[in-house]
Amino acid sequence: MSNGHFTWDDLQFFLAVARTGQLSTAARQLRTSHATVSRRIDRLEFALKVKLFERNPRGYVLTGMGQRFVETAEKIEQETERLQAELEGGATAQRGVVRLSAPEGFSNFFFSHTLTDFFVRQPNISLELVTIQQIMALSRKEADLAVVLDPPKAGPYFSEKLTDYHLQIYGTRGYLEARGVPKTRDDLLEHAFIGYVQDMIFAPGLDYLGDIHPKIRPNFQSSSIFSQLTATRSGLGLCVLPLFIAQQYPELQVVLEDEVDLLRHYWIACHHDLRQVARIRTVIEFLRESVQANVGGFIGNSGARAGLVLRG
């Protein structure tokens, strides 16, 4: 390699493109323009007299030399972050944008309630929360992190289970008084049901009406858990809802409590390349801590279902 001049900023641009494979995604993370990222990569390659990326219509792919250079750049990155943390006292050392993809229910009924605490701790990290789970793909690096119901089965991904969570059948007290309380699973067939649009279910974990009774056919279907909740609270029918959502609404009453209790899981996942990035590690740790602090809301306590009490 040549002894050309380059700066730590150049290495940040290099790592962002290496990890995302896209100039536009790297530009978003670095809060700069597509053209600036391209120019900085060109400058770095010129300084090193080495081609770090192959350009193709799908994006930027590391060359063999580029892959070797990643290891060196990451070591410099880690040392720089460590030094910043020592100089700045820790919290302000974490900077940049993190895009988190998460299911609508988890995002709106749990995670959004924890944001004040997050930004008190990490004022220099910007979060992008995407709830359109169907279109986000870790494989294309459209999201930095994802909360998912099913972990990636293969590929270069890190994943760990955040928590189990339970779901039960709910209806409003008014609806149940008017239509009667089901005593058996067969009784459920006499009731209106609310559920997901069958051919738009993006994760096997959401396809649960068949687990309750194979003959249930929803009268109202929506791809949005918020719409399902609103319809249920309006007295339209019965709906399967997570405990951490339903128990925030006292007008909802559980149906067949001792017989129908579904178990599902939330996982956190990201590309292995991103797991070593300080701001990504910070968000993972915050998710882990905040979920564990509120685990009773997800799984219930000692057989009696506990309501969600949000704590930092």
Side-chain angles (χ1 to χ4, degrees):
M1 286 188 183
S2 163
N3 290 323
H5 297 291
F6 61 89
T7 67
W8 163 233
D9 278 348
D10 293 326
L11 295 187
Q12 287 183 299
F13 280 82
F14 165 73
L15 284 173
V17 176
R19 287 163 174 159
T20 65
Q22 302 289 333
L23 291 184
S24 56
T25 309
R28 175 186 59 78
Q29 291 183 351
L30 296 168
R31 295 181 171 182
T32 188
S33 70
H34 181 287
T36 298
V37 177
S38 177
R39 186 167 60 249
R40 296 296 282 270
I41 294 300
D42 289 344
R43 186 173 90 171
L44 180 60
E45 289 185 327
F46 179 79
L48 296 173
K49 300 294 188 291
V50 164
K51 191 173 185 180
L52 300 171
F53 296 99
E54 296 287 351
R55 282 77 164 166
N56 66 46
R58 297 182 61 186
Y60 276 48
V61 180
L62 286 165
T63 62
M65 187 59 73
Q67 290 174 340
R68 288 172 56 190
F69 193 58
V70 166
E71 298 176 16
T72 300
E74 285 185 335
K75 289 176 183 176
I76 296 172
E77 177 187 53
Q78 289 165 12
E79 284 301 304
T80 301
E81 289 171 351
R82 185 184 61 78
L83 180 60
Q84 282 182 331
E86 290 177 2
L87 293 174
E88 301 179 25
T92 56
Q94 311 302 327
R95 299 180 185 276
V97 181
V98 176
R99 177 176 288 178
L100 172 66
S101 170
E104 182 194 13
F106 182 89
S107 299
N108 292 341
F109 297 95
F110 174 71
F111 185 63
S112 60
H113 296 285
T114 71
L115 292 177
T116 300
D117 185 40
F118 178 81
F119 287 117
V120 166
R121 294 198 215 175
Q122 303 295 339
N124 296 309
I125 292 180
S126 292
L127 278 177
E128 296 178 350
L129 180 59
V130 180
T131 60
I132 312 171
Q133 188 96 358
Q134 296 96 320
I135 65 169
M136 302 308 294
L138 287 174
S139 60
R140 295 194 296 272
K141 299 188 179 177
E142 295 168 333
D144 303 314
L145 279 174
V147 174
V148 293
L149 280 79
D150 306 290
K153 292 182 172 60
Y157 305 112
F158 158 79
S159 63
E160 72 172 46
K161 188 160 75 171
L162 273 178
T163 185
D164 297 327
Y165 69 98
H166 289 264
L167 307 97
Q168 294 188 291
I169 304 171
Y170 291 89
T172 62
R173 298 180 192 283
Y175 171 87
L176 293 168
E177 286 172 4
R179 296 291 301 272
V181 178
K183 304 297 184 186
T184 68
R185 293 194 188 215
D186 284 340
D187 289 348
L188 296 174
L189 301 180
E190 304 300 320
H191 289 263
F193 251 90
I194 297 158
Y196 283 99
V197 179
Q198 188 64 33
D199 61 0
M200 295 182 69
I201 292 176
F202 60 87
L206 296 179
D207 191 8
Y208 37 61
L209 287 184
D211 290 351
I212 297 171
H213 197 297
K215 292 184 179 179
I216 291 177
R217 298 294 179 268
N219 298 63
F220 173 67
Q221 300 176 64
S222 173
S223 61
S224 164
I225 189 68
F226 185 79
S227 293
Q228 292 179 42
L229 173 67
T230 302
T232 307
R233 294 180 67 207
S234 298
L236 188 63
L238 303 179
C239 186
V240 177
L241 295 167
L243 268 64
F244 73 90
I245 295 177
Q247 294 196 356
Q248 297 184 49
Y249 300 93
E251 70 270 28
L252 296 181
Q253 179 177 318
V254 67
V255 173
L256 297 179
E257 182 173 13
D258 296 329
E259 188 171 347
V260 178
D261 184 358
L262 303 179
L263 177 66
R264 296 294 186 267
H265 322 281
Y266 283 130
W267 296 73
I268 185 73
C270 70
H271 200 281
H272 269 307
D273 291 348
L274 293 175
R275 190 188 175 194
Q276 301 308 317
V277 178
R279 64 182 180 276
I280 305 296
R281 294 199 309 268
T282 296
V283 176
I284 291 174
E285 186 59 34
F286 179 79
L287 280 165
R288 190 184 291 137
E289 289 179 8
S290 56
V291 166
Q292 285 306 307
N294 296 284
V295 71
F298 290 99
I299 64 173
N301 287 325
S302 303
R305 299 309 185 191
L308 183 68
V309 180
L310 287 165
R311 298 184 294 272

